[in-house]
Amino acid sequence: MGFNIAKTNKKRVVIIGGGFGGLKLANKLRGSNFQVVLIDKNNFHQFPPLLYQVASSGLEPGSIIFPFRKIFQKQKDFYFRMAEVKAVIAERNLIETSIGELTYDYLVIASGTITNFFGNKTIEEKALPMKTIQEALELRNTLLSNFEKATICTDPEERQALMNVVIVGGGATGVEVSGVLAEMKKFVMPKDYPDLKPSDMNIYLIEGSPKLLGVMSPEASANAEKFLKEMGVNIILNKRVIDYQDGKVILDDNSTITTKTLVWVSGVTATHFDHIDKELLNRGGRITVNEFNQMQGKTNVFAIGDVCFQTEEEYPNGHPQVAQVAIQQGNLLAENLKQLEAGKKLKPFHYVNLGTLATVGRNKAVADLKKLKLQGFIAWMVWMLVHLRSILGIKNKLMVLIEWVWSYFTYDQSIRLIIYIPKRKKDE
């Protein structure tokens, strides 16, 4: 096995990760005088902001993913390889992957983040994260399976554990998951599960800090909390989950919540590669870069998006780990790579904050825009338009729009399927 990519007289740009930043960079290098190699462990780009809707049966997974080979099928001197990068050996301009080694002239690390379990192995094994489409589908299967089990369960305590859902992490994902489950409880359960009492389903949202949506304004946080409480979500602030034993979530005040569904969206940590000096890593394991996104001491190794730690006057603790940062960095880096080849001066990166959005439920969202703070229906409409515009592919946009319109007018979601893929036994 190997990359099977011939070395030419063109400089080779290797991009690790096809998220928002990596995808933007690869697209902007169309028609350039580079050989571009994109490496990702999946063969598709996914749209993380809508993973929670897949998890709650609101969208089909195919509507928020798009194959890389479809995106770049007309791009010359472009190669996609599905592989997992294991090590970056910058001294040799080389990466080691699951399919072999590959040399580069320029390397761009855009591999994003993974769920941070803060060293708790029990929670890592038993909790349900939601960073990938696969994890969203696992959460969907778990939720629906637990409802099915609850309908035939004769033990009241076990039935309650099946009906309780605990979400840990009060950021945008935690708020959105809580909201969509509250709507499922109100609109779906009475129709699909008439032999279960919706009032028996308890949704808990636990956040270790004093407020939800910590990166947003106090007004947005307060409005999100108010919306969720009106929807019946139990919000627990200033408490941390320290363990999960015997089907019970254990908080730092020794109180417990019984549940069979623990959703962990409490934080992220940067992806890690062997041979990158630990001294180059900063908060959350992020790679420290300069104003041009170059890794310290390496003018031909770059990091963009959530995996990099870059400061500027307005962001002394690093940029927020949001899609717009990655997109803007990918866009500028494409220009800077061309500048490097031409022997011209590089342009420093400056983040332009376009605003932050979070949806809570039907007609309920919060938005912090440049000079405007919105909440309720108007914020919800802005949220929908921004996300619909960002999804790749006209077909995918139409699929999402149709599902949203159908759900809005029918108060229903039509994709409540439990689909398990059986594992084949490996040949001995």
Side-chain angles (χ1 to χ4, degrees):
M1 236 178 352
F3 276 84
N4 197 27
I5 301 174
K7 186 68 175 169
T8 67
N9 59 349
K10 289 187 175 183
K11 293 288 183 69
R12 177 182 290 167
V13 178
V14 174
I15 305 169
I16 303 174
F20 289 115
L23 194 67
K24 172 60 72 172
L25 172 62
N27 267 314
K28 285 292 181 178
L29 290 178
R30 288 177 187 267
S32 65
N33 196 33
F34 291 111
Q35 181 189 77
V36 180
V37 182
L38 175 64
I39 303 172
D40 198 287
K41 60 183 178 181
N42 296 308
N43 73 335
F44 54 81
H45 169 79
Q46 62 185 8
F47 191 69
L50 294 183
L51 284 175
Y52 80 97
Q53 293 200 12
V54 173
S56 61
S57 306
L59 290 175
E60 286 280 14
S63 61
I64 66 165
I65 59 178
F66 208 81
F68 290 122
R69 293 189 180 278
K70 176 72 173 176
I71 299 169
F72 297 104
Q73 61 186 195
K74 295 181 180 179
Q75 186 164 333
K76 294 181 179 180
D77 298 312
F78 173 87
Y79 298 87
F80 169 74
R81 293 295 183 264
M82 191 169 74
E84 187 172 352
V85 177
K86 300 182 181 297
V88 174
I89 307 174
E91 295 75 18
R92 296 168 54 195
N93 291 340
L94 176 78
I95 60 171
E96 295 177 351
T97 79
S98 56
I99 62 172
E101 298 180 344
L102 183 69
T103 58
Y104 60 81
D105 294 293
Y106 297 104
L107 176 67
V108 182
I109 303 172
S111 48
T113 57
I114 57 175
T115 301
N116 190 353
F117 295 97
F118 303 98
N120 193 313
K121 294 297 181 183
T122 303
I123 290 178
E124 185 174 353
E125 290 172 4
K126 297 180 179 179
L128 296 164
M130 209 174 64
K131 282 285 293 176
T132 67
I133 195 73
Q134 296 90 338
E135 291 169 349
L137 288 171
E138 184 179 4
L139 176 54
R140 184 180 84 175
N141 285 341
T142 300
L143 286 167
L144 297 178
S145 294
N146 285 348
F147 290 156
E148 295 294 338
K149 291 174 184 175
T151 63
I152 59 174
C153 183
T154 56
D155 183 338
E157 290 186 5
E158 185 178 353
R159 186 189 306 117
Q160 190 61 66
L162 289 164
M163 297 286 287
N164 288 347
V165 180
V166 176
I167 301 113
V168 183
T173 303
V175 166
E176 289 165 351
V177 171
S178 301
V180 79
L181 291 181
E183 292 194 328
M184 179 183 283
K185 170 183 175 178
K186 182 177 180 179
F187 299 117
V188 173
M189 285 193 68
K191 291 184 286 186
D192 274 24
Y193 302 94
D195 37 0
L196 294 176
K197 295 180 181 178
S199 58
D200 287 341
M201 181 182 179
N202 297 311
I203 303 164
Y204 299 89
L205 176 59
I206 303 173
E207 166 57 36
S209 70
K211 68 169 192 169
L212 302 177
L213 301 174
V215 299
M216 297 188 71
S217 66
E219 294 92 335
S221 174
N223 282 317
E225 184 175 345
K226 181 187 74 170
F227 289 146
L228 287 174
K229 285 182 176 178
E230 290 172 352
M231 298 166 74
V233 176
N234 301 292
I235 298 173
I236 301 173
L237 301 176
N238 286 313
K239 291 185 182 179
R240 294 183 301 108
V241 172
I242 59 173
D243 212 345
Y244 181 57
Q245 297 286 348
D246 302 320
K248 292 181 180 180
V249 174
I250 304 171
L251 281 69
D252 55 4
D253 62 355
N254 291 322
S255 61
T256 61
I257 303 171
T258 302
T259 183
K260 298 284 187 181
T261 311
L262 173 60
V263 184
W264 189 269
V265 288
S266 184
V268 295
T269 186
T271 48
H272 169 77
F273 303 108
D274 291 342
H275 297 294
I276 291 182
D277 194 334
K278 290 184 179 179
E279 293 183 359
L280 299 179
L281 304 182
N282 213 301
R283 299 174 61 182
R286 299 159 77 179
I287 300 169
T288 304
V289 298
N290 64 13
E291 67 271 31
F292 310 116
N293 286 91
Q294 292 169 316
M295 193 167 76
Q296 185 178 333
K298 299 294 176 184
T299 58
N300 67 332
V301 179
F302 303 81
I304 62 174
D306 291 355
V307 77
C308 83
F309 183 86
Q310 183 185 60
T311 62
E312 52 182 309
E313 187 175 349
E314 290 185 38
Y315 301 94
N317 296 317
H319 295 117
Q321 290 171 293
V322 295
Q324 271 303 316
V325 173
I327 291 169
Q328 291 177 30
Q329 287 178 337
N331 192 46
L332 179 63
L333 183 53
E335 293 182 33
N336 276 338
L337 287 174
K338 296 172 187 176
Q339 293 285 94
L340 268 176
E341 281 300 287
K344 297 180 180 179
K345 190 176 180 180
L346 302 185
K347 299 178 183 177
F349 177 76
H350 296 292
Y351 174 48
V352 179
N353 188 350
L354 301 179
T356 309
L357 304 166
T359 183
V360 182
R362 174 189 299 268
N363 299 335
K364 297 180 179 73
V366 290
D368 287 343
L369 305 180
K370 282 186 177 181
K371 297 181 180 179
L372 191 63
K373 291 178 174 57
L374 304 174
Q375 56 91 19
F377 177 76
I378 296 176
W380 184 65
M381 290 296 295
V382 172
W383 180 91
M384 285 200 302
L385 289 170
V386 167
H387 285 73
L388 196 62
R389 181 178 176 272
S390 302
I391 295 170
L392 292 180
I394 295 175
K395 181 182 176 182
N396 285 22
K397 292 180 194 290
L398 286 173
M399 288 170 63
V400 171
L401 179 60
I402 290 168
E403 285 294 343
W404 282 353
V405 171
W406 178 265
S407 297
Y408 188 80
F409 287 105
T410 65
Y411 289 82
D412 195 11
Q413 296 157 328
S414 56
I415 320 165
R416 291 182 293 279
L417 306 175
I418 303 170
I419 301 174
Y420 291 109
I421 300 175
K423 295 181 180 179
R424 293 186 179 182
K425 294 181 179 180
K426 294 182 179 180
D427 295 333
E428 296 183 359

